[in-house]
Amino acid sequence: MTKETIDRIRKFTDDRDWNQFHTPANLAKSISIEASELLECFQWDETNYDLEHVKEELADVLVYCRNMLDVLGLDEYEIVNAKMKKNEAKYPVEKSKGNSRKYDEL
Amino acid sequence: MTKETIDRIRKFTDDRDWNQFHTPANLAKSISIEASELLECFQWDETNYDLEHVKEELADVLVYCRNMLDVLGLDEYEIVNAKMKKNEAKYPVEKSKGNSRKYDEL
Amino acid sequence: MTKETIDRIRKFTDDRDWNQFHTPANLAKSISIEASELLECFQWDETNYDLEHVKEELADVLVYCRNMLDVLGLDEYEIVNAKMKKNEAKYPVEKSKGNSRKYDEL
Amino acid sequence: MTKETIDRIRKFTDDRDWNQFHTPANLAKSISIEASELLECFQWDETNYDLEHVKEELADVLVYCRNMLDVLGLDEYEIVNAKMKKNEAKYPVEKSKGNSRKYDEL
């Protein structure tokens, strides 16, 4: 996200005095609720979906993720790269290439 | 996300030949599953949580969101700003300041 | 559920002094978390799933639903029949036969 | 659930010719989606919730669980008791009494 978008999200929350509701637990619930609304776009039919609806629900997930990064003072770059480093070690290319098994079943 | 991180995520998927599994529906399931693992950090206690665990689960959500943006050819900047524009209209400051009611109950 | 199974679930909670954790909100989180673990059985492949795993995760959802009924003093028969009555009205056979559209799109 | 309620749920699905949509994977998604709607009742406030709404969303979860039992030919009594037996072994009373730690952290 650009600095401009991040600021827009922060201002949205600040202007409405909503920081009081943004505990980490409430934001975790919110991310999960929005992720489910995204899933609902594919509930009965996985190939014919409403792209405009998908875009909105995915954006909702991303906005709440940004809120959570803010509340916990986290850096997206840092946590994503730290996790990717772990993933790269957990899923060695030679073992996981072309299969979707979890790391503990490789 | 920086270009570098986005490329790292793409390379991770490409190297493992996992694009075949990354249908929009499977990624929607995956975002929802990871969001639930994030929620699990706050399942019984919302104040004492394991921050390292939270960081990893939030990163997982963000990585799958990035996969979904890629698969659908979406621009994060665009979809988030389009949604924020809608949110700003749906939640006028004067009506929603300090309360957490949904827009249809304002 | 039989009275015997319901009693077994209650005794399990009582013996461990876990009623203190079983707030309605915590149980809602728990149902959602277990539902996601059930979904994980179908994350990448919807036809080849581990039935034993599915049975366990579905049972977990049902157990937490039972806990929630207990905590709120609800009767399963009553709430399910009340909801079915609503569903029958919301989805008239002639309009919804053979299609999976939501009631507001019928 | 009583035989009468189970039959009512089956008839509802049959009358609408919806068995075609009720694959195990679609039902897993549906249980997860409804569980999230239940969670939404507690999104920002865990103590002041709309009980009528909670009842409806919990009923929705239970109905989809019943659909899944049906589709997979499972017996609720059997799978719940098998899981309770496992839970009782995984969470010995003396180790888990009064604390909410997961079995692998006991």
Side-chain angles (χ1 to χ4, degrees), chain D residues 90-106:
Chain D
K90 261 162 73 173
Y91 293 95
V93 174
E94 62 280 11
K95 284 196 183 171
S96 46
K97 192 162 184 167
N99 78 62
S100 58
R101 276 194 289 278
K102 279 189 85 170
Y103 67 94
D104 51 4
E105 296 166 4
L106 284 176

Side-chain angles (χ1 to χ4, degrees), chain A residues 5 8-9 12 16 56 59-60 63, chain B residues 77-92:
Chain A
T5 308
R8 184 175 191 166
I9 294 172
F12 179 79
R16 282 153 193 80
E56 293 199 0
D60 281 336
V63 169
Chain B
Y77 176 85
E78 219 175 271
I79 69 163
V80 170
N81 277 284
K83 192 52 176 34
M84 286 309 296
K85 199 179 168 184
K86 272 209 168 184
N87 289 348
E88 288 155 3
K90 260 162 74 173
Y91 293 96

Side-chain angles (χ1 to χ4, degrees), chain A residues 29-30 36 42-43 46, chain D residues 29-30 36 42-44 46:
Chain A
K29 283 182 274 172
S30 303
S36 242
F42 307 93
Q43 184 173 12
E46 305 207 334
Chain D
K29 283 182 273 173
S30 302
S36 241
F42 307 93
Q43 185 173 10
W44 303 114
E46 305 207 334

